[in-house]
Structure formats: C-alpha cells, structure tokens
Amino acid sequence: MNLTSIPAFQDNYIWVLYNDMGECLVVDPGDARPVLDTVAKFGWKPVAILLTHHHADHTGGVAELCATWPELVVYGPEETRSKGATHILAGGDKLSLLGLELDVIFTPGHTLGHICYYSSPYLFCGDTLFSGGCGRLFEGTPAQMYQSLSTLNQLPAQTLVCCAHEYTQSNINFSLSILPEDEAIVKYSKEVNELRKKRHSSLPSTLENERRINLFLRTDDAVLIEKIRDETTLQQPEQYFAWLRAKKDNF
C-alpha cells in the first residue's frame, strides 16, 4: 500500500492509502473537494471511508463523496452514524480492506466515541495523538485520554503516526516551554521548523520519535516529573498528564 495526505482547510490532513490498482481508503474526509481533485488527478477509485470521530472537519465531505461513489462503504464509531457512517465499529473490531487487516482501537478523550485504525505500520489516530501533543478534551476526561495514549504507546516503535492536523510546531513550542534544554525536543524543533519553512508536512511521525519528544507520552520521565513537582504536589502519571493538558490549553 502507498500512503499520502491531502491538505484540507487550514491545517487538516485527509489520509489516503492506495494500492497499485488505484483502489484507495480515505480517512476523515472533512472536505470533499480536495479528495475529488486528488482522486481525479491520479485516477484512483475510493473503496471505503474510515472515520475516527464525529467532528465536522473530519466528516463534512462524506455525503458528497458518497453521492459521487454510491458504492462507498463508510466505517466509523457510533457517534458518526448521523455523519454518514454505514458500518458502525467499536474497539476490538477488525476490518479487512484491500488486503489490509485493520485493528480498531477505542481511544476516548477528544470525543467520547473516538476510535483509531491500526494496520502495521499505519496508525490513523484522528485527534487523539498528534506529533508532540494530543487532542483537546472536548468530551472526555484526562483519565480517558491518558489511558488512550497509553494504549497507542504499546504499538511498535516504527508505527507511522498519521494524525489529522499539522499542529507539530505549536506542540513543540509548548514542549520547549516546559523543557527548554531537552536535546531531543530542541533537535526536533529545528527539523520541523525547516520542513515548515519549505511548506512540507511534518507528518507522519513515528511512535519511536514521539516517545522521545512528546511530553504527553513521557509522564514517567524523571526530568519531566521533577519539573512538574517543582510547581505542584502531584504524584501520579495520570495527574502529570492532566497538568500538562491544562497547561497546553492555555498556552
């Protein structure tokens, strides 16, 4: 399979997996137009849509794409039924599409029904995990998001983190505000800044990289814990995560 991303809106990415026959899977099409243009350019044939959650910037293009290709199958969690999902999924489900075996992972936090799709090496994680960050808690709790990230962090190191937004620079700037001398974060910041100067995407990242530079995956890191305890009396990784998420909300 071949992976590409289609930019949409200000900072969204619509991910596409396609095979040598041009059959493709489309992930979180918030806008139909860039998908239609890209499919026409390369002569692809969409077979299925994968939705991670119900927000409009991930689902807004579903109706138009299904009108264009009535045979499209739309997969998603229960919360996307009203957004056009025809096949409802839950954590633990498995899909077989275009020769891929996809695991459905339940990751509440950003929304209560958020799911991710994993087929080695691809992880389509919507708004749960970002490069250098994680999604805002619009519906879920810090405990839910902490557990969701912990679940994703169990995947192999070379997993490709295909998240839905180009938030990397902002996330890394936040990380530097917490740990300004962290060598891995400083190095990654320079790399990302160079990419973005050239208007290149910073994605996908790898889980191996995220374990080094993403503070939300480093709540057992001694240096980060010392920093947090300089300002708080918190004692548990889940509490460290909640503290970080609150700080990021106001960054």
Side-chain angles (χ1 to χ4, degrees), residues 10 35 71 105 111 152 188 202 224:
Q10 183 176 349
V35 177
E71 69 279 10
I105 306 172
T111 67
L152 296 182
Y188 189 53
S202 68
L224 178 59

Side-chain angles (χ1 to χ4, degrees), residues 55-74:
H55 287 160
D57 63 320
H58 295 250
T59 62
V62 170
E64 187 173 350
L65 294 178
C66 288
T68 305
W69 295 284
E71 69 279 10
L72 267 179
V73 181
V74 184

Side-chain angles (χ1 to χ4, degrees), residues 2-249:
N2 305 288
L3 176 71
T4 193
S5 60
I6 303 173
F9 307 118
Q10 183 176 349
D11 51 38
N12 281 69
Y13 289 123
I14 300 167
W15 292 95
V16 178
L17 275 177
Y18 61 97
N19 61 21
D20 292 339
M21 298 172 60
E23 299 170 309
C24 67
L25 309 177
V26 181
V27 184
D28 282 351
D31 187 3
R33 178 45 52 191
V35 177
L36 293 169
D37 291 345
T38 304
V39 167
K41 177 180 179 180
F42 294 106
W44 294 338
K45 179 185 177 182
V47 172
I49 292 173
L50 307 179
L51 302 177
T52 61
H53 64 291
H54 67 83
H55 287 160
D57 63 320
H58 295 250
T59 62
V62 170
E64 187 173 350
L65 294 178
C66 288
T68 305
W69 295 284
E71 69 279 10
L72 267 179
V73 181
V74 184
Y75 296 92
E78 178 61 42
E79 65 179 40
T80 62
R81 186 186 296 273
S82 64
K83 306 294 185 176
T86 57
H87 289 62
I88 303 305
L89 300 172
D93 287 346
K94 295 181 180 296
L95 297 178
S96 294
L97 295 169
L98 301 184
L100 286 178
E101 300 297 322
L102 292 129
D103 292 318
V104 179
I105 306 172
F106 182 46
T107 55
H110 183 67
T111 67
L112 290 177
H114 198 295
I115 60 174
C116 299
Y117 300 86
Y118 173 70
S119 180
S120 180
Y122 312 108
L123 172 65
F124 299 105
C125 48
D127 286 357
T128 295
L129 174 64
F130 296 127
S131 185
C134 70
R136 284 182 178 268
L137 306 180
F138 286 116
E139 298 174 12
T141 65
Q144 286 176 314
M145 184 63 96
Y146 173 78
Q147 183 56 56
S148 294
L149 294 177
S150 297
T151 299
L152 296 182
N153 202 20
Q154 295 173 25
L155 296 173
Q158 294 309 308
T159 296
L160 295 177
V161 178
C162 304
C163 48
H165 290 275
E166 183 62 69
Y167 288 164
T168 312
Q169 276 182 310
S170 174
N171 289 335
I172 294 302
N173 288 339
F174 168 72
S175 297
L176 288 172
S177 75
I178 304 295
L179 296 180
E181 298 180 0
D182 186 287
E183 291 183 4
I185 297 174
V186 169
K187 180 175 181 290
Y188 189 53
S189 176
K190 293 177 181 178
E191 293 172 358
V192 170
N193 287 339
E194 285 302 310
L195 284 172
R196 297 306 292 154
K197 281 180 184 177
K198 299 173 183 177
R199 298 187 178 181
H200 294 167
S201 173
S202 68
L203 302 170
S205 180
T206 65
L207 195 53
E208 181 178 36
N209 180 56
E210 294 307 307
R211 288 169 179 157
R212 287 193 296 263
I213 60 87
N214 192 326
L215 297 188
F216 295 97
L217 299 183
R218 287 177 50 180
T219 52
D220 60 352
D221 179 88
V223 176
L224 178 59
I225 290 171
E226 182 180 3
K227 170 66 177 178
I228 295 173
R229 287 183 177 174
D230 283 344
E231 300 186 29
T232 74
T233 59
L234 302 177
Q235 296 294 322
Q236 301 298 324
E238 185 180 304
Q239 295 174 322
Y240 305 149
F241 169 82
W243 182 86
L244 285 168
R245 186 60 258 181
K247 293 279 271 191
K248 180 63 169 66
D249 289 344

